[in-house]
Amino acid sequence: MASTNDLKNGMVLKLEGGQLWSVVEFQHVKPGKGPAFVRTKLKNVMSGKTVDKTFNAGTKVDTATVDRRGMQFSYKDGEYFVFMDMETYDQIHITPEIVSDTANYLVEGFEATVAMYQGEALFVELPAAVELVIEHTEPGVQGDRSTGGSKPARLETGYEVGVPLFITTGEKIKVDTRTGEYLSRVNG
């Protein structure tokens, strides 16, 4: 149990029927008239749905203890993604629904943060940017600007991103895991 005065970004709350909601952002508001309140943006941990919710200041809220562990993606076993705990070397199988869009950037050996609650995986977080090798892209033709100076490229994970014309097959690039956009070429 915590008070709304103790809210922090990333904190997980247990609300309405035991559903888990992660605090995306919060703001303490003290209007000129009336009592203070806390305006929050909450994200449902399981569905990803985002809602705005207002609490009276000082209201007690039930918090969930979510264990965030550093894990390494080992391999894909059928439809499951197998992650290894970096401390205990235990392996866990995570469904594609929980891995969701992060599967677009997973390569064997990548480290990710897996959020666990009561022994169940809730979600998988990757760093804001990852480095991946381009498996295939067409050669860029100088002067062909009909596409705005970009072309599609298939990454080693099978995911396709738009890259500048000068990028070639076999190069390593940095990709934003939140938007799926090309960020830069990786030298070396």
Side-chain angles (χ1 to χ4, degrees):
M1 241 352 156
S3 164
T4 54
N5 299 333
D6 304 324
L7 291 181
K8 292 180 177 51
N9 289 346
M11 183 182 269
V12 178
L13 308 177
K14 195 191 259 187
L15 304 174
E16 298 130 26
Q19 289 191 29
L20 299 178
W21 296 84
S22 176
V23 177
V24 177
E25 56 187 57
F26 66 97
Q27 178 183 19
H28 292 277
V29 180
K30 177 102 175 85
K33 284 185 173 175
F37 60 91
V38 179
R39 187 177 294 137
T40 63
K41 182 181 271 185
L42 303 173
K43 181 179 179 182
N44 188 301
V45 172
M46 300 309 277
S47 69
K49 178 177 142 187
T50 306
V51 297
D52 293 322
K53 188 162 177 66
T54 303
F55 297 95
N56 291 328
T59 303
K60 297 285 184 205
V61 288
D62 199 7
T63 58
T65 306
V66 174
D67 184 21
R68 286 181 160 83
R69 298 182 191 173
M71 294 196 176
Q72 185 178 55
F73 173 60
S74 297
Y75 58 94
K76 194 164 180 205
D77 183 16
E79 67 175 41
Y80 293 98
F81 293 83
V82 180
F83 285 82
M84 181 178 66
D85 190 314
M86 300 300 287
E87 293 176 19
T88 64
Y89 302 108
D90 291 337
Q91 291 188 347
I92 63 167
H93 290 64
I94 302 178
T95 64
E97 293 79 31
I98 292 171
V99 174
S100 70
D101 290 343
T102 57
N104 297 331
Y105 313 104
L106 283 177
V107 176
E108 290 180 13
F110 265 27
E111 288 191 27
T113 301
V114 178
M116 306 283 287
Y117 178 69
Q118 296 180 341
E120 293 289 319
L122 297 176
F123 55 88
V124 177
E125 292 176 335
L126 288 176
V130 293
E131 296 177 1
L132 294 165
V133 175
I134 295 189
E135 195 172 80
H136 176 75
T137 187
E138 296 296 324
V141 178
Q142 189 61 26
D144 177 17
R145 298 281 184 229
S146 63
T147 59
S150 69
K151 60 183 179 179
R154 188 176 65 244
L155 302 173
E156 60 188 303
T157 61
Y159 186 62
E160 202 168 276
V161 297
V163 297
L165 294 174
F166 60 82
I167 299 293
T168 59
T169 299
E171 282 193 81
K172 188 180 266 194
I173 63 168
K174 192 177 276 191
V175 179
D176 188 322
T177 58
R178 297 161 299 189
T179 62
E181 294 177 356
Y182 163 87
L183 292 174
S184 66
R185 185 190 315 198
V186 177
N187 296 326

